Amino acid sequence: MFGLIMDIVKEGVTYFKERQEQKHQVKLSVLKNKQRLAESEQDYNHDWEMASLESRDRFLRIVSFSLFSVPLVVTVIWPDTGAQIFTNLEKAPDWYVQTFIAINGGVWGIVELKHAAPALVNGIRKIKG
């Protein structure tokens, strides 16, 4: 039993080390790319591309996703409390709810567009040049 627990802990530590090393490699790559950009006046990379590589918006995405998923999870686990949450949400003004949904949709849409944009920009550059 002890050996099994130690194997699980060892795998967890190995996974954590590998993940930390991968994060470190991404940071090094971003720094190298920034240095290359600083030295070159002909590259067209922008700060938003660097931010995309660094995943700076992770916290915002987690909060945004949580705001939508928590009421559903609460409703599944505690139906009465969940019903009260949705009853209270119905009391919010429509303009506020619609603005909230638009902002969160924008956050998610922009994030996904940001990830696709570098490939699109590079494709356009290849066509032009």
Side-chain angles (χ1 to χ4, degrees), residues 117-129:
L120 180 64
V121 170
N122 286 335
I124 292 170
R125 279 190 211 145
K126 287 179 183 176
I127 291 170
K128 285 185 172 182

Side-chain angles (χ1 to χ4, degrees), residues 13-41:
V13 169
T14 301
Y15 171 78
F16 179 77
K17 282 182 178 179
E18 288 173 356
R19 182 139 167 101
Q20 291 303 105
E21 179 62 27
Q22 289 172 349
K23 286 181 181 179
H24 179 69
Q25 291 300 325
V26 168
K27 286 181 181 180
L28 283 177
S29 296
V30 169
L31 289 173
K32 287 177 185 176
N33 198 22
K34 283 183 179 180
Q35 179 182 1
R36 181 183 57 80
L37 290 174
E39 294 170 354
S40 172
E41 295 177 4

Side-chain angles (χ1 to χ4, degrees), residues 15-73:
Y15 171 78
F16 179 77
K17 282 182 178 179
E18 288 173 356
R19 182 139 167 101
Q20 291 303 105
E21 179 62 27
Q22 289 172 349
K23 286 181 181 179
H24 179 69
Q25 291 300 325
V26 168
K27 286 181 181 180
L28 283 177
S29 296
V30 169
L31 289 173
K32 287 177 185 176
N33 198 22
K34 283 183 179 180
Q35 179 182 1
R36 181 183 57 80
L37 290 174
E39 294 170 354
S40 172
E41 295 177 4
Q42 305 210 344
D43 286 331
Y44 300 106
N45 290 341
H46 297 284
D47 288 336
W48 57 269
E49 290 176 302
M50 293 302 186
S52 175
L53 290 174
E54 293 173 340
S55 296
R56 290 184 194 164
D57 57 357
R58 184 170 182 237
F59 177 74
L60 180 62
R61 291 184 350 168
I62 290 170
V63 169
S64 173
F65 181 75
S66 297
L67 289 172
F68 280 105
S69 61
V70 168
L72 180 64
V73 172

